[in-house]
Structures are given as structure tokens and as C-alpha cells.
Amino acid sequence: MIAMPARRALISGITGQDGSYLAEWLLGKGYEVHGVVRRVAIEDPEHRLTRLDPIRGQIKLHAASLESYASIHQVVAQVMPDECYHLAAQSFVSYSFDDEFSTLNANINGTHYLLAAVKNIVPGCRFYFAGSSEMFGKADEVPQNERTRFHPRSTYGISKVAGFDLTRNYREAYGMHASSGILFNHESPRRGFEFVTRKITAGVARIAADKSKELRLGNLDAKRDWGHAREYVQAMWLMLQQAEPDDYVIATGATHTVREFAELAFAHAGLDYRDYVAPDPDLFRPAEVNILQGDASKARKKLGWEHRIGFETLVREMVEADCRALGVEPRARASAG
Ligand code: G4F
């Protein structure tokens, strides 16, 4: 019997939280996994490639910049992928208020370059675009589904709406198998420290280890629908296994405030968040989104995707990982999740 060649996947943003989980998932499925990374990352593996440490020998990294069509074209021509997952972006919403121009440039052009390169070189390649619940922004309904009107409230959200529209247009105009996931917040111990969940769990660990005395946070009443990133990348893969391309909301359907996240995270280390969390008005955003709560019933029905990891389990896993990294035992209250 002749062995089938392994399917080839190309991931932009492979060094990030989602990229690293997706690479592991695809390797487990027998894919040959390639990643697009910035040259500085290849030159500084100790700091920039840490999330890929366990699989470093099993993947192939290609230096390219999403700001250069020529370099993207070259990587796509070299890899000739069967599936392309476009996760790379300036993804920190807060930063998009500080540098609107670079967020729009990187996120919109990067998506456009990759879509165009795939269309020109490997038009049969299946394409995934990482959309975001930030596209709903000032949503006029709760929960949000695939038919909810977009009303982004940051240049980050605007750039994601543009990427979503580009992806849909390549699907409709050129017949590409191009799908978008509208992912709500998804976290894990691999989350970047700039995002509120990891900022909190890393802060808890530092306080538990006597390395810090307070944690400054912005809007504690902001609500999010938080799931686990490890499960969300599986939905990306499922979208590309469908006969027809489409767009899907991926969410848990449950929302919690930043305050609730902090309360639970501190409690898991036997601490009361009110003794440590200091409000900082500088950390409030010029414009906040409304309640973001996703309705993933289409993904459940068509992809058979469902989240399993609950809020408490997620918080506990993150606190424990950060505490372990600093050599402290979280003095957990008995809690389930
Ligand atoms: O953790 P955040 O920075 O995530 P945000 O803005 O919801 O965006 C994340 O999820 C989106 C949906 O998947 C992605 F598209 C996006 O790329 C990113 O991954 O902030 C969450 C909430 C906000 O309402 C913010 O105002 O937490 C509030 N918050 C309160 N104090 C804080 C802080 N956020 C941060 N980053 N830092 C704070 O000190």
C-alpha cells in the first residue's frame, strides 16, 4: 500500500498562544506543520519561541514579514500548503488605541497579502481567518451569533472586520475555501502577560511568592466570555474539514466580570483580591465594548464543536501554572469546576 503524503499546514502567528496549541493539534493529526515567523524570533529563540519548545524539532519555521507581500509570497510558494491558518495580528486591543495606524496596516494588509498569495499560488488551499468577538463591539443583541451586526469599538475591531470581509470576498469572488472563526476570548497558561487574565494569574503568583504587594487593574466590571484556547484551536481545524467554507462563532456562552476572575484567582491562592487589587484609571479604555457573550449553536450543530473546560477550571489551571513557575504552592480553597 502506498502511504499518503502528510497534509501540509502553514500557520501565521505560530509562536503565540493559539499558534502553539494549533501546531500541537495538527502534529497529532499527522500534518507536516510550517510556521511563518518574524526574523527577530528566529534569531532570539530563547525568548520568542518558548511556547514551541516541546515541538521545536517537529515543525519548520520560515522567516517572513506580514508587512511584505514578497516575503509572504515566497513562503507560500515554498510550502505549498493544503491548509493555511492566519492567526498573526497585532492582537492587543488596548495597544490599538495607542497606535491605530500600525494596527490597521499590519492586520488588514497581512490578511490581504496572505489571502492573495494563497489564491495566486495554491488556490485549492483551505484558509482560516482568526476573526474576533471584538468585531461585535457595541453589539445590539446578547448573545451574539453569526448574524449579529458588527459595530467595532477599536481600530483592532475595525481591522478584524476588514479581515473578515476580505476573507468572505475571496470566498465569494474566487471560490476559495476560506472560513472565519469569530472567536470570543480564549485564555490559557500560554496567554501573553498583557491580557487581563494572565496579568491577574501572574500577579497572584507574584504576590503569593512575596515578590509583589499589589496588582493594578482597569475596568473590573468589564464582562467577557472566556474559554480555553486549547479547545478553540480545534474549532479552527474543524472549520477547514467541512465540505463548504463558512463563518462560525466560537464561545462558551457564559460571561464573567474581570472582578469575578480576580476574586477566583486570588481565592485559589488563599488570598482576598480586595486586599491587593488597586484600581488604575489609566488602564480604562477610551471605548469599551458591550457585553460580549457568544452563541456557538451553529458550531455545535455543524462542526460538532463544544467547549468542555469551564471558567473555574481555566482560572485554576492558569493560577497553578504561574505559581509553579515561581516555586509556590497555591493554597487552594476546595473548589470544583
Ligand atoms: O484581556 P483583554 O486585554 O482582552 P480583550 O480586549 O477582550 O481582547 C482579547 O480577546 C479578543 C476576543 O477574542 C481578541 F480579539 C483580542 O485579540 C484579545 O485576545 O481585556 C479584557 C477586559 C477589557 O474589557 C479590559 O478593559 O479586561 C479589562 N481590563 C481591566 N483591567 C483589563 C485590565 N485589560 C487589560 N489588558 N489589562 C488590565 O489591567
Side-chain angles (χ1 to χ4, degrees):
M1 205 170 83
I2 301 166
M4 289 284 284
R7 277 181 292 173
R8 272 191 302 275
L10 178 63
I11 306 174
S12 77
I14 195 170
T15 59
Q17 166 188 259
D18 294 5
S20 60
Y21 279 125
L22 178 63
E24 287 168 14
W25 173 257
L26 293 172
L27 285 172
K29 295 266 170 209
Y31 281 74
E32 185 181 308
V33 177
H34 297 254
V36 184
V37 294
R38 277 176 288 185
R39 184 159 298 285
V40 283
I42 290 186
E43 283 162 4
D44 185 14
E46 266 172 47
H47 295 105
R48 297 178 191 254
L49 300 180
T50 49
R51 293 183 181 98
L52 299 175
D53 279 348
I55 55 167
R56 197 64 185 82
Q58 301 169 62
I59 56 177
K60 177 124 180 48
L61 300 179
H62 305 261
S65 162
L66 279 163
E67 283 156 40
S68 146
Y69 179 73
S71 72
I72 292 300
H73 186 279
Q74 200 173 22
V75 172
V76 173
Q78 228 172 7
V79 176
M80 301 293 283
D82 299 296
E83 294 175 15
C84 177
Y85 296 86
H86 178 39
L87 314 183
Q90 189 305 94
S91 64
F92 187 30
V93 178
S94 234
Y95 179 74
S96 77
F97 289 104
D98 299 331
D99 193 344
E100 301 186 342
F101 301 102
S102 75
T103 300
L104 288 173
N105 282 341
N107 292 3
I108 299 177
N109 291 343
T111 304
H112 199 180
Y113 293 159
L114 199 48
L115 272 167
V118 167
K119 168 187 151 269
N120 292 335
I121 302 164
V122 271
C125 169
R126 298 184 169 195
F127 186 90
Y128 172 83
F129 171 66
S132 160
S133 53
E134 286 291 307
M135 301 192 301
F136 294 124
K138 195 166 173 239
D140 42 29
E141 60 179 359
V142 180
Q144 295 88 34
N145 61 38
E146 294 78 7
R147 292 176 306 282
T148 303
R149 196 173 58 88
F150 295 145
H151 185 148
R153 297 269 280 171
S154 60
T155 43
Y156 169 80
I158 293 167
S159 74
K160 285 290 174 179
V161 172
F164 178 90
D165 283 337
L166 278 164
T167 304
R168 186 173 49 194
N169 202 46
Y170 269 66
R171 175 165 82 216
E172 291 172 359
Y174 308 117
M176 270 176 61
H177 192 296
S179 300
S180 290
I182 307 174
L183 269 55
F184 282 61
N185 295 50
H186 43 289
E187 320 294 312
S188 76
R190 299 186 191 176
R191 192 57 149 146
F193 291 100
E194 65 274 38
F195 299 99
V196 77
T197 54
R198 187 73 195 283
K199 184 175 171 182
I200 292 171
T201 60
V204 166
R206 285 183 61 76
I207 289 167
D210 278 331
K211 288 177 183 294
S212 172
K213 300 231 168 306
E214 70 165 19
L215 178 64
R216 303 189 80 79
L217 291 175
N219 186 2
L220 292 177
D221 297 316
K223 281 187 151 186
R224 287 292 187 279
D225 178 335
W226 279 298
H228 198 301
R230 198 170 45 230
E231 297 187 318
Y232 283 39
V233 301
Q234 297 170 15
M236 300 174 185
W237 175 78
L238 282 168
M239 286 177 217
L240 298 204
Q241 309 317 305
Q242 303 308 302
E244 298 299 328
D246 206 344
D247 307 317
Y248 298 88
V249 161
I250 301 298
T252 71
T255 57
H256 298 273
T257 59
V258 171
R259 186 188 309 282
E260 286 173 279
F261 192 104
E263 190 174 357
L264 203 57
F266 276 90
H268 193 59
L271 304 168
D272 186 331
Y273 83 101
R274 289 170 297 188
D275 297 333
Y276 303 97
V277 170
D280 185 342
D282 287 344
L283 294 171
F284 278 65
R285 297 180 181 174
E288 253 299 355
V289 299
N290 280 359
I291 297 177
L292 292 181
Q293 182 177 2
D295 169 5
S297 40
K298 178 175 168 185
R300 248 194 321 274
K301 200 162 144 231
K302 297 210 165 165
L303 305 178
W305 180 88
E306 210 164 357
H307 87 282
R308 293 189 198 294
I309 303 175
F311 181 65
E312 288 191 18
T313 307
L314 170 69
V315 178
R316 190 171 58 227
E317 186 186 329
M318 291 178 70
V319 171
E320 283 176 359
D322 278 324
C323 283
R324 256 199 318 273
L326 292 187
V328 282
E329 269 304 306
R331 285 175 290 132
R333 286 178 182 173
S335 71

